């Protein structure tokens, strides 16, 4: 892992929170969130009355077996889907009251996504893949190129900017994906098993990078993981089972 | 611009799909180009057949045919009184041969001009015709039959033959007179002569395009220029540079014209003013060629002329076209009936194929599109991306299609298909009666069969339309695929299997 110094990349809001009343400020506030798929006899309850608060600068890991509801929870946190009942607040705004257009803007400006399969666009270079996230902003191409270079540098891939995803290792691809997720200085970074598709060494690199984002940038991160060592690295771990929170462990500082 | 970069990289790296979609559109476009090109070729072939009928620019010709009345006996007696009167006055003074003046043993060499088939009318009529609304241009022509008598007058009392037959007698007209003369050492020859308005060659009875040897009339210059038909040139042993005598004047043969199928073929063409002077038909014409302002005006103009000009007969180009039959017209009706259907089916199929391929591509890229939406792309931006890609394929399809179509047209031309066209004689009512009455070599519509080579052509307009259709097809398929993509849920980004 190159020892590039990460400049802080939080949103103004998150940054304000970090400097001000800090971790006590809420990024997410969920109350009574239930998600049911299907209806009638075949209805499946993926999430059952979840109450959860995520504070700024928190590094939260969600663990649980397959079908425990962790992916559903991440979709709801990421404004990719709406709860059947209940209320989700992000930075004090009720997501359930927002229209499709506002949710799209919210995803772009406030949330960063990292996927298990990296989800890079295979036909675009690393730099272009990062630019995808800011392509819709009204900035000059020079400004965007500068921002892309800065982001790729921060994940240690400045020298790989013109490579296609297929020419990059899994770890490198995921770092490009993280650069893309950070492009709009999101208030929260959501990651779906970010190391699930990587070997141990690459997984460790990604974990280090995420930890550095929290430590140096006060980046709020919520991730899903199967791996105990990732869960251990997180400050807080929520264990889900059958759509309910089984445990919420918040290790003491340090 | 990022938008273009993304589209181009998608098109470039998913080459197979791009080419397949483009080819689908290309086949449709190529068919449109070929069918239209072929149809234009057939139109041109038909025009080639019809052009000599009247002249390139002529939409209709106006004449005053002799109208045979009820009793069906034919000949002079069947004509109305006013027509008989006019014939008398036309043929009477300068027209008929003054047989009484012929003295036995004396030498004769005389030309007699008579109207052939149609009654003549004053050229001033052209002015009134040109004032009819939507008439673009008018030109007059005069076709006369020249009876040339030469030799030595035999010692036979010709006058008796004349009185017994009657000067304008019904039975044989002037036939018996010349028949009687044949017994002597006199020879008679009949040739048809048409005077054309050389200042309006496109409306003339002989057009520059018919000239096979030599040249067309000069607009000023020598008044005594003549163009002769191939048939007459052969029989009279004439060629460019030969001299012929008409009405005592010597004419230079400056050109040989093909005897076109369906054309009004005269033996000799001279300038109208010259013929009027030489024949004594000063200021007279027997046909007015009329060009309408546009093709859509032809019917209305023809109707107006028929109404205003009593006794006139208006023949339009479409009347002439209806007399053409054969494989050319079969192909023409086939192309107009099937061609359009084929084009529509080909285009629908092409757009359908392009749309299905775009939909398949969207389905395959569900996760990619979901990712774009998850990271904040709006529906519009996703639609724009898919549409942009489809548009690129449409442009490629248009270019390939035009190349295929133009290649196909070149192949058709290289095959050198020929189609046959048969031109029937006009219905033997008015014209036929007139010709029969005089029993002379009148200018007549040439009937028969000709073979026309199909020369398919692709115009710039056609190519532009074809490319436009391909782009439109691309946009339609892009819109269909884009709308599907816009409806995809961003949560699809989290799917683990592609």
């Amino acid at each position: 892992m190159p020892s590039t110094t990460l400049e802080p990349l939080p949103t103004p809001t998150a940054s304000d929170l970090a400097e001000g009343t800090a971790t006590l400020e809420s990024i997410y506030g969920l109350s009574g969130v239930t998600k049911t798929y299907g209806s009638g006899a075949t209805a499946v309850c993926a999430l059952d009355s979840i109450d959860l608060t995520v504070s700024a600068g928190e590094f939260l890991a969600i663990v649980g077996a397959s079908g425990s509801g962790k992916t559903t929870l991440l979709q709801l946190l990421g404004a990719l889907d709406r709860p059947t009942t209940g209320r989700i607040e992000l930075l004090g705004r009720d997501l359930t009251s927002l229209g499709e257009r506002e949710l799209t803007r919210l995803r772009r400006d406030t949330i960063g996504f990292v996927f298990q399969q990296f989800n890079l666009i295979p036909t675009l270079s690393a730099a272009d893949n990062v630019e995808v996230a800011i392509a819709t902003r009204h900035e000059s191409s020079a400004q965007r190129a500068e921002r892309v270079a800065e982001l790729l540098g921060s994940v240690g891939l400045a020298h790989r900017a013109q490579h296609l995803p297929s020419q990059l290792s899994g770890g490198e691809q995921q770092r490009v994906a993280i650069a893309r997720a950070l492009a709009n200085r999101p208030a929260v970074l959501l990651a779906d098993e970010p190391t699930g598709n990587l070997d141990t060494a690459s997984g460790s690199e990604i974990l280090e990078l995420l930890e550095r984002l929290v430590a140096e940038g006060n980046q709020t991160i919520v991730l899903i993981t199967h791996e105990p060592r990732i869960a251990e690295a997180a400050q807080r771990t929520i264990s889900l089972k059958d759509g309910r929170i089984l445990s919420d462990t918040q290790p003491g500082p340090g | 611009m990022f938008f273009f970069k993304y589209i181009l990289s998608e098109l470039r790296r998913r080459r197979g799909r791009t080419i397949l979609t483009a080819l689908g559109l290309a086949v449709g476009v190529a068919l449109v180009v070929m069918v239209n090109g072929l149809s234009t070729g057939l139109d041109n072939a038909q025009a080639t057949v019809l052009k000599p009928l009247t002249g390139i620019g002529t939409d209709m010709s106006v004449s005053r045919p002799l109208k045979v009345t009820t009793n069906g006996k034919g000949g002079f007696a069947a004509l109305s009184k006013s027509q008989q009167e006019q014939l008398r006055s036309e043929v009477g003074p300068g027209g008929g041969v003054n047989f009484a003046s012929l003295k036995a043993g004396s030498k004769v060499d005389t030309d007699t001009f008579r109207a052939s088939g149609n009654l003549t009318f004053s050229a001033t009529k052209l002015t009134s015709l040109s004032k009819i609304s939507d008439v673009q241009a008018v030109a007059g022509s005069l076709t006369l039959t020249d009876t040339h008598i030469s030799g030595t007058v035999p010692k036979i009392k010709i006058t008796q033959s004349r009185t017994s037959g009657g000067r304008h007698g019904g039975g044989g007209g002037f036939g018996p007179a010349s028949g009687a003369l044949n017994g002597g050492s006199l020879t008679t020859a009949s040739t048809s002569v048409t005077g054309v308005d050389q200042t309006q060659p496109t409306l003339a009875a002989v057009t520059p395009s018919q000239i096979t040897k030599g040249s067309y009339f000069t607009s000023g210059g020598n008044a005594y220029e003549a163009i002769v038909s191939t048939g007459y040139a052969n029989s009279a042993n004439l060629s460019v540079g030969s001299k012929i005598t008409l009405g005592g004047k010597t004419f230079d043969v400056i050109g040989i014209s093909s005897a076109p199928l369906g054309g009004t073929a005269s033996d000799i063409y001279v300038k109208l003013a010259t013929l009027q002077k030489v024949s004594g038909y000063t200021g007279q014409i027997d046909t007015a060629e009329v060009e309408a302002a546009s093709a859509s005006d032809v019917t209305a103009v023809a109707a107006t002329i028929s109404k205003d000009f009593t006794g006139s007969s208006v023949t339009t180009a479409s009347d002439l076209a209806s007399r053409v039959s054969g494989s050319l017209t079969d192909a023409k009706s086939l192309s107009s009936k099937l061609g359009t259907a084929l084009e529509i089916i080909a285009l629908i199929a092409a757009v359908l194929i392009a749309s299905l391929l775009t939909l398949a591509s969207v389905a395959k890229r569900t996760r990619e599109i979901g990712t774009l939406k998850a990271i904040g792309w709006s529906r519009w931006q996703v639609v724009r991306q898919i549409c942009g890609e489809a548009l690129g394929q449409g442009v490629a399809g248009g270019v390939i299609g035009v190349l295929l179509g133009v290649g196909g047209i070149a192949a058709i031309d290289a095959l050198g298909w020929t189609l046959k066209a048969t031109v029937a004689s006009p219905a033997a009512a008015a014209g036929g009666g007139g010709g029969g009455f005089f029993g002379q070599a009148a200018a007549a519509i040439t009937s028969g069969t000709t073979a026309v080579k199909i020369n398919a052509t692709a115009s710039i307009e056609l190519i532009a339309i074809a490319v436009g259709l391909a782009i439109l097809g691309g946009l339609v398929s892009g819109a269909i695929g884009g709308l599907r993509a816009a409806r995809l849920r961003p949560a699809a980004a989290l799917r683990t299997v592609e």
Side-chain angles (χ1 to χ4, degrees):
Chain A
M1 180 80 203
S3 57
T4 323
T5 347
L6 269 178
E7 63 152 318
L9 298 169
T11 61
T13 319
S15 151
D16 290 346
L17 291 171
E19 285 160 16
T21 44
T23 52
L24 289 177
E25 281 304 317
S26 143
I27 296 284
Y28 278 114
L30 282 69
S31 54
V33 170
T34 299
K35 179 69 183 178
T36 311
Y37 291 109
S39 59
T42 56
V44 175
C45 185
L47 286 179
D48 188 3
S49 302
I50 299 287
D51 296 312
L52 177 68
T53 305
V54 179
S55 304
E58 254 188 329
F59 184 0
L60 170 65
I62 303 171
V63 297
S66 299
S68 61
K70 41 186 207 306
T71 301
T72 303
L73 180 57
L74 197 74
Q75 284 180 5
L76 295 181
L77 293 177
L80 301 180
D81 208 346
R82 295 166 186 273
T84 311
T85 57
R87 186 180 167 89
I88 301 175
E89 275 183 18
L90 173 55
L91 299 176
R93 295 177 81 190
D94 183 8
L95 298 191
T96 53
S97 71
L98 298 180
E100 201 55 50
R101 196 177 292 251
E102 291 162 303
L103 287 181
T104 298
R105 184 170 295 175
L106 188 89
R107 286 198 294 268
R108 187 187 73 180
D109 296 339
T110 315
I111 301 169
F113 269 107
V114 176
F115 307 91
Q116 184 179 2
Q117 314 271 345
F118 326 131
N119 291 17
L120 298 178
I121 292 161
T123 57
L124 294 179
S125 70
D128 291 341
N129 261 293
V130 175
E131 197 178 347
V132 165
I134 53 172
T136 59
R137 291 190 172 274
H138 294 291
E139 289 176 345
S140 73
S141 53
Q143 278 176 302
R144 286 208 299 263
E146 196 184 330
R147 176 81 182 131
V148 167
E150 185 187 321
L151 286 160
L152 280 177
S154 74
V155 297
L157 283 177
H159 61 297
R160 307 289 258 170
Q162 294 314 314
H163 287 62
L164 288 177
S166 58
Q167 296 164 327
L168 298 173
S169 73
E172 286 173 326
Q173 288 187 55
Q174 194 61 298
R175 278 191 274 155
V176 173
I178 291 171
R180 176 178 68 183
L182 295 172
N184 288 307
R185 300 185 173 89
V188 60
L189 191 66
L190 300 177
D192 177 25
E193 303 212 31
T195 59
N197 218 16
L198 297 174
D199 57 47
T200 314
S202 302
S204 301
E205 282 181 16
I206 297 301
L207 180 59
E208 270 176 52
L209 176 57
L210 293 178
E211 283 179 316
R212 203 149 51 86
L213 288 172
V214 177
E216 293 175 18
N218 200 37
Q219 178 70 55
T220 309
I221 297 179
V222 176
L223 61 74
I224 292 177
T225 187
H226 271 121
E227 294 181 56
R229 63 187 180 114
I230 307 278
E232 277 163 28
Q235 300 157 355
R236 180 182 171 194
T237 307
I238 288 175
S239 175
L240 285 183
K241 193 186 179 190
D242 299 332
R244 289 168 182 274
I245 296 178
L246 197 66
S247 65
D248 184 348
T249 56
Q250 205 150 4
Chain B
M1 200 177 149
F2 184 79
F3 169 58
F4 285 122
K5 190 158 63 176
Y6 188 10
I7 288 171
L8 280 179
S9 73
E10 281 295 323
L11 290 178
R12 209 167 39 232
R13 300 223 169 84
R14 298 176 197 264
R15 214 172 276 134
R17 189 198 66 203
T18 302
I19 291 172
L20 201 62
T21 312
L23 273 183
L25 289 167
V27 168
V29 166
L31 271 171
V32 169
V33 170
M34 280 169 68
V35 169
N36 265 309
L38 195 58
S39 162
T40 309
L42 289 171
D43 282 342
N44 291 344
Q46 194 176 45
T48 310
V49 172
L50 292 180
K51 185 163 47 177
L53 290 178
T54 47
I56 307 161
T58 304
D59 290 316
M60 66 202 87
S61 57
V62 182
S63 59
R64 291 175 68 200
L66 290 167
K67 286 204 176 80
V68 179
T69 48
T70 48
N71 61 20
K73 277 182 194 163
F76 193 76
L79 298 176
S80 69
K81 194 140 196 173
S82 61
Q83 288 180 328
Q84 290 181 2
E85 284 302 319
Q86 183 169 358
L87 269 183
R88 268 196 197 100
S89 66
E90 277 188 19
V91 181
V97 182
N98 189 359
F99 294 102
S101 68
L102 298 178
K103 288 197 177 94
S106 67
K107 295 226 171 196
V108 287
D109 186 358
T110 166
D111 278 311
T112 312
F113 293 96
R114 280 177 312 223
S116 74
N118 294 323
L119 295 172
T120 61
F121 50 92
S122 168
T124 54
K125 194 77 195 171
L126 293 176
T127 317
S128 58
L129 287 177
S130 68
K131 282 178 184 153
I132 292 172
S133 67
D134 296 326
V135 167
Q136 182 75 33
V138 289
S141 72
L142 175 64
T143 299
L144 299 173
T145 301
D146 168 33
T147 306
H148 183 76
I149 304 172
S150 61
T152 313
V153 179
K155 295 190 187 333
I156 297 174
K157 267 286 189 190
I158 301 154
T159 44
Q160 297 227 323
S161 162
R162 186 168 62 90
T163 26
S164 68
R167 188 168 179 189
H168 302 292
F174 291 92
S178 46
L181 289 165
N182 281 344
S185 57
L186 287 180
T187 53
T188 68
S190 274
T191 48
S192 54
V193 185
T194 298
V196 300
D197 183 354
Q198 81 283 357
T199 60
Q200 300 196 65
T202 58
L203 288 176
V206 62
T207 64
S209 64
Q210 283 171 243
I211 303 299
T212 54
K213 267 182 221 153
S215 57
Y216 195 69
F217 296 114
T218 53
S219 55
N222 182 7
Y224 297 98
E225 291 174 338
I227 291 170
V228 297
S229 71
T230 314
Y232 185 68
N234 287 340
S235 65
N237 204 16
L238 296 171
S239 60
V240 176
S242 300
K243 306 223 180 276
I244 54 175
T245 307
L246 279 178
K249 299 288 183 186
T250 304
F251 287 76
D252 295 322
V253 175
I254 56 158
I256 310 286
S257 74
S258 58
L261 182 69
T264 40
S266 274
D267 296 326
I268 302 169
Y269 300 92
V270 297
K271 292 177 180 176
L272 176 60
T274 312
L275 182 63
Q276 286 171 336
K277 202 164 81 185
V278 168
S279 64
Y281 279 81
T282 314
Q284 295 293 108
I285 55 174
D286 70 347
T287 305
E289 313 288 1
V290 180
E291 182 190 354
S294 80
S296 55
D297 298 327
V298 170
T299 316
V301 171
T304 311
I305 294 174
S306 299
K307 193 161 63 86
D308 291 1
F309 189 176
T310 317
S312 70
S313 165
V314 183
T315 307
T316 63
S318 63
D319 293 337
L320 298 168
S322 66
R323 296 212 308 273
V324 180
S325 61
S327 57
L328 171 63
T329 43
D330 294 344
K332 183 90 182 66
S333 75
L334 190 71
S335 94
S336 60
K337 280 182 198 138
L338 274 183
T340 317
L342 187 67
E343 282 174 37
I344 291 171
I345 290 169
L347 278 180
I348 289 176
V351 173
L352 212 62
I353 289 169
S355 301
L356 288 175
L357 286 170
T358 309
L359 282 179
S361 145
V362 166
K364 212 174 151 191
R365 288 161 70 190
T366 299
R367 205 169 59 141
E368 176 180 328
I369 292 162
T371 304
L372 291 175
K373 298 181 97 172
I375 65 172
W377 277 41
S378 67
R379 282 172 178 232
W380 151 241
Q381 283 153 352
V382 170
V383 169
R384 187 179 64 173
Q385 174 65 29
I386 302 297
C387 263
E389 291 173 21
L391 190 64
Q393 287 163 348
V395 171
V399 170
I400 299 172
V402 164
L403 290 178
L404 281 179
V406 170
I409 281 176
I412 290 173
D413 290 350
L415 282 174
W417 279 341
T418 52
L419 290 174
K420 286 197 165 61
T422 302
V423 179
S425 298
F437 171 74
F438 287 102
Q440 300 286 353
I445 301 283
T446 323
S447 61
T449 299
T450 188
V452 187
K453 187 173 174 296
I454 298 304
N455 207 4
T457 44
S459 63
I460 296 296
E461 291 87 350
L462 176 59
I463 287 172
I465 287 170
V467 172
L469 284 173
I471 290 173
L472 196 69
L475 275 180
V476 168
S477 70
I480 290 171
L483 288 177
R484 165 72 69 87
R487 274 205 303 272
L488 286 177
R489 285 154 30 88
L494 293 175
R495 290 201 322 183
T496 45
V497 206
E498 185 153 42

